[in-house]
Amino acid sequence: MNADDKIIIADDAVIHPDDLHEDFIRSSGPGGQNVNKVATAVQLRFDAANAPGLSERVRERTIKLAGQRATKDGVIVIEAGRFRTQEQNRADARARLAELVAKAAEPPPPPRKKTRPSKGAVERRLKTKAGRGTIKKLRGRVADD
């Protein structure tokens, strides 16, 4: 994926390269001397709140799905440091952002259809309920007649 290509996810969700800001930072974790010298991890920032390529619905859902990765200003921060090279981490961060926006761009599920229990089911429920009630009544003290 070229850095200048826009990422097209859906009709109402397009990520322009101008909306992305990348900073290269040092990776955490083991790695010896190399990890302390080379900035291979990527911190990708995407201003979802002001992105012109997102519709209002997709924008709100993206920020909501991002959770703690989104700031109060609506900027999504994704850190990628799984790989040893900048280019792989850069592609990984962009892929994760595209996956997040694609999930937000999915259409909402159809509304739930209201259903009613059948007449037989209602009768069976009431019959078993009455049966349990009589069992509980019989658990009481035995009266002397």
Side-chain angles (χ1 to χ4, degrees), residues 44-50 63 69-77:
L44 180 73
R45 293 178 174 276
F46 174 61
D47 191 0
N50 300 318
I63 294 170
R69 292 176 290 186
T71 64
K72 290 178 184 176
D73 301 329
V75 177
I76 297 172
V77 180

Side-chain angles (χ1 to χ4, degrees), residues 49-88:
N50 300 318
L54 301 181
S55 69
E56 196 58 40
R57 181 185 70 84
V58 175
R59 179 185 332 262
E60 289 173 8
R61 281 190 41 112
T62 302
I63 294 170
K64 184 179 173 191
L65 287 173
Q68 288 188 328
R69 292 176 290 186
T71 64
K72 290 178 184 176
D73 301 329
V75 177
I76 297 172
V77 180
I78 295 178
E79 289 190 14
R82 275 195 288 197
F83 300 103
R84 290 182 62 140
T85 63
Q86 274 186 359
E87 215 38 60
Q88 283 179 310

Side-chain angles (χ1 to χ4, degrees), residues 9 57-58 61-62 65 97-107:
I9 293 151
R57 181 185 70 84
V58 175
R61 281 190 41 112
T62 302
L65 287 173
L97 176 65
E99 185 180 320
L100 177 73
V101 176
K103 192 170 185 178
E106 289 176 355

Side-chain angles (χ1 to χ4, degrees), residues 3 6 47 52 58 70 76 85 91 96-97 108-109 115 118 124 136 144:
K6 55 182 165 179
D47 191 0
V58 175
I76 297 172
T85 63
R96 284 167 43 196
L97 176 65
T115 57
S118 66
R124 284 191 300 273
K136 289 180 179 183
D144 290 333

